[in-house]
């Protein structure tokens, strides 16, 4: 019995974006300071969820939810600002 495995392709909303560093900077600065700090800790500094949880005084699963919300907030700012989208 052979089992066929399909690769699950996860939707990556960032693939929609093409933006300049100026546009990125404006969107970044539109985020609240705590959101920027959280995203920077995770994606720029490479901190683990456990390390972030220790810094924020919460559990790692709470950090994962905060990161989800932060990414959604950043995406919303980019979309509402028309940043990074090529004209149709």
């Amino acid at each position: 019995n052979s089992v066929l495995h399909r690769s699950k392709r996860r939707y990556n909303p960032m693939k929609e974006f093409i933006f300049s560093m100026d546009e990125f900077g404006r969107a970044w600065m539109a985020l609240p300071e705590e959101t920027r700090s959280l995203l920077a800790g995770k994606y720029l500094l490479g901190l683990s969820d456990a390390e972030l949880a220790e810094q924020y005084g919460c559990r790692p699963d709470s950090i994962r939810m905060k990161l989800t919300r932060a990414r959604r907030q950043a995406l919303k700012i980019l979309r509402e600002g028309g940043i990074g989208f090529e004209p149709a």
Side-chain angles (χ1 to χ4, degrees):
N1 291 332
S2 65
V3 177
L4 295 176
H5 295 281
R6 291 185 181 175
S7 65
K8 293 182 180 180
R9 292 188 179 177
R10 296 181 68 181
Y11 172 66
N12 180 354
M14 293 310 291
K15 286 185 179 181
E16 299 175 25
F17 294 104
I18 299 171
F19 47 80
S20 71
M21 288 307 292
D22 286 340
E23 290 172 322
F24 176 79
R26 285 195 307 275
W28 181 257
M29 293 310 295
L31 292 167
E33 185 176 342
E34 184 176 334
T35 301
R36 290 193 312 262
S37 176
L38 182 65
L39 290 171
K42 181 68 175 179
Y43 300 110
L44 298 178
L45 300 176
L47 298 177
S48 69
D49 294 346
E51 291 168 320
L52 287 167
E54 187 175 320
Q55 285 185 357
Y56 282 83
C58 61
R59 298 182 329 210
D61 58 332
S62 295
I63 288 296
R64 286 188 287 278
M65 179 52 69
K66 287 176 185 281
L67 284 165
T68 296
R69 290 178 182 147
R71 288 187 299 265
R72 286 180 185 159
Q73 187 176 18
L75 185 59
K76 181 179 178 184
I77 287 170
L78 289 167
R79 284 187 172 145
E80 287 177 353
I83 296 171
F85 290 96
E86 292 187 347

